[in-house]
Amino acid sequence: MPVGGANAMHLLANIKAKAVGLLPTKLKRNARNQFPNQSSQQSNLLPPLKPVKLPRIFQDHSYALHDQGWTKVTYHGPHDDLQRASQALFEASRDFFDLPTSRKEDFRTRAGTEEGWNHVQGEKQFITLRSLEKTPPGLKDAAEAYWTVAGSYLDELLKRISESLGLPAEALGVYSEPCRRLGGKKTATLLRLFRYESTETNEIKTVAEPHRDLGLLSLVVGDTPGLECWERYAKLWFPIEKTFESPAASVMVGRQLERLSNMRYRSGGHLVRSYPEETARSSSSDPSGPPRYRYSIVFVLRAHSPVPVNTDELTTSITGPFQTPLNGMTAGELFQEIHSAHFNINTNVEERNKQRENLASKRSKTKAAEAAHDHPRCPSLEISLRNLA
């Protein structure tokens, strides 16, 4: 059984039990079609991951990171550097989002959702930070301090993941080390600050659609619960942040790491909801006043774009032969390939639906072409069918 197997399975059993109790029946039904199960046939035939100590992750929780694609990140007490940095950034982000819209518009860029301030009506406002130069003055100090702590943490975590696959730490660390600091030059890695709209009714409201992040690892911190993760065994959404008894964070595997680990680490499906009882108690100075917002900090570690990708060098007895070998491309090209295959959940609803329709059309055409290739047309049969018509 994999590392911490018995305890981990007990954890997953608890996850299922808690999730079933917390989710409304309607959400359980709707969840079943969100994400199909990823194939685990190959993984079942391979050796277990090597036992490694994942930083800030309890041993009992480590199994969920590769098996589910998400798990809990713990703090080391009230003076923890990650917790302090996140609190300072929450305060700075609240001040920024409280600015008049005209002031925030100054930070809208031509990069769309990839950099600068954006507003999705009815769901959220967010600002994406990629370099110090484009960071608003009121966010610079807090964002730079948080990036240093979060970047170093995810870099260390990625190196331990590399070792769990039977690779040297540097095999995957080479993708993350250049992104450990927020500097003058834009990197593939980014920091997003969100302010999610509250619900005005007693119903739960989805403010970020189901998706999987595109990078290597994502660190998510919310000031109130809202993040839900896809539990692939029970096939339902698990409200992970509702289980935190003290301040904590969540980490999720992205699609780049899924590809670079040959799916030994699964990408974690997740969404964000606005809960009436939570938004009513959020950061408002008057707890009895109107509902406020959910704030979150999302640090997305993406593979440094210029680094060459060669899965021959990432192959071990633990990864097994790569289902889709990658060679002769850069990490940036891999990201673009992944990006082009998925719609952007941070665009406005109209654009999102258009992207979704275009992707569905492309997939349909691809399937039709594959079917035609597998079953070549017979000219004589086509003539007979036309005559019958």
Side-chain angles (χ1 to χ4, degrees):
M1 183 170 283
V3 180
N7 289 332
M9 295 312 293
H10 178 66
L11 166 70
L12 292 175
N14 286 340
I15 283 174
K16 295 174 196 174
K18 288 180 181 178
V20 169
L22 286 168
L23 283 178
T25 302
K26 181 180 179 182
L27 295 185
K28 294 177 202 171
R29 284 200 306 268
N30 292 344
R32 301 189 185 279
N33 296 321
Q34 299 290 353
F35 291 117
N37 275 343
Q38 294 158 294
S39 173
S40 58
Q41 183 176 1
Q42 182 190 27
S43 296
N44 291 337
L45 301 175
L46 295 170
L49 303 184
K50 283 193 171 184
V52 296
K53 177 65 179 77
L54 299 179
R56 294 181 175 273
I57 295 173
F58 290 137
Q59 189 71 12
D60 285 357
H61 296 178
S62 62
Y63 180 83
L65 184 61
H66 73 265
D67 185 62
Q68 296 277 2
W70 47 266
T71 197
K72 175 184 173 182
V73 172
T74 58
Y75 294 142
H76 303 314
H79 301 296
D80 181 276
D81 57 350
L82 182 58
Q83 183 179 3
R84 285 187 300 177
S86 65
Q87 290 305 312
L89 188 52
F90 274 132
E91 291 179 15
S93 68
R94 289 184 189 108
D95 290 341
F96 172 78
F97 288 117
D98 281 343
L99 291 174
T101 300
S102 58
R103 292 277 304 281
K104 288 179 285 193
E105 283 284 358
D106 292 340
F107 300 99
R108 194 185 288 273
T109 72
R110 295 180 179 179
T113 62
E114 284 294 290
E115 191 173 19
W117 177 77
N118 282 269
H119 184 198
V120 180
Q121 192 69 37
E123 291 186 356
K124 61 215 167 199
Q125 290 186 39
F126 61 96
I127 185 166
T128 304
L129 308 177
R130 304 282 293 271
S131 68
L132 270 176
E133 180 187 357
K134 297 291 182 66
T135 300
L139 291 174
K140 276 188 178 179
D141 290 345
E144 186 177 13
Y146 183 83
W147 190 302
T148 298
V149 178
S152 296
Y153 168 61
L154 291 187
D155 175 62
E156 181 186 358
L157 177 58
L158 188 65
K159 289 174 179 176
R160 300 295 81 78
I161 288 172
S162 188
E163 292 172 345
S164 76
L165 296 169
L167 294 162
E170 295 73 23
L172 293 179
V174 67
Y175 294 103
S176 61
E177 282 192 346
C179 302
R180 288 175 56 177
R181 298 288 185 273
L182 176 62
K185 293 184 178 180
K186 184 163 68 174
T187 68
T189 293
L190 54 85
L191 176 61
R192 278 199 177 113
L193 309 177
F194 286 91
R195 187 177 82 174
Y196 291 102
E197 301 292 337
S198 61
T199 177
E200 297 178 357
T201 67
N202 290 325
E203 294 187 1
I204 294 173
K205 175 183 178 181
T206 299
V207 287
E209 286 193 56
H211 64 286
R212 302 178 192 268
D213 288 348
L214 307 183
L216 296 166
L217 293 165
S218 297
L219 181 66
V220 181
V221 187
D223 72 331
T224 56
L227 176 68
E228 296 187 7
C229 300
W230 179 246
E231 209 293 333
R232 71 188 186 92
Y233 296 106
K235 293 185 174 59
L236 49 74
W237 293 107
F238 174 58
I240 185 170
E241 292 175 334
K242 282 195 171 186
T243 69
F244 295 168
E245 297 177 358
S246 58
S250 307
V251 65
M252 281 165 290
V253 173
R255 293 183 185 273
Q256 280 184 321
L257 181 54
E258 181 176 71
R259 294 284 295 274
L260 295 176
S261 69
N262 198 27
M263 291 190 67
R264 290 311 306 266
Y265 280 81
R266 299 169 181 270
S267 56
H270 57 283
L271 53 73
V272 180
R273 300 194 199 274
S274 177
Y275 306 128
E277 70 276 17
E278 296 296 339
T279 52
R281 294 199 304 266
S282 68
S283 56
S284 173
S285 58
D286 179 8
S288 63
R292 293 277 291 179
Y293 307 100
R294 175 185 185 267
Y295 294 85
S296 75
I297 301 168
V298 182
F299 186 90
V300 183
L301 179 67
R302 292 178 180 170
H304 189 49
S305 297
V307 178
V309 176
N310 183 352
T311 50
D312 291 345
E313 298 175 352
L314 300 176
T315 302
T316 67
S317 61
I318 295 174
T319 66
F322 272 69
Q323 300 175 34
T324 308
L326 302 170
N327 201 348
M329 69 190 314
T330 64
E333 290 167 338
L334 172 60
F335 176 81
Q336 289 303 322
E337 178 186 302
I338 296 171
H339 183 271
S340 64
H342 302 91
F343 67 90
N344 184 352
I345 61 109
N346 288 321
T347 58
N348 63 61
V349 177
E350 183 180 347
E351 175 61 25
R352 201 183 308 163
N353 289 336
K354 188 182 300 182
Q355 291 178 12
R356 206 189 328 251
E357 290 171 5
N358 289 339
L359 287 170
S361 176
K362 286 180 183 178
R363 292 189 187 110
S364 178
K365 290 177 181 178
T366 299
K367 286 182 181 179
E370 289 173 351
H373 178 76
D374 293 338
H375 303 285
R377 294 179 179 178
C378 175
S380 59
L381 178 60
E382 287 186 357
I383 292 171
S384 299
L385 289 173
R386 282 199 298 270
N387 290 337
L388 286 172

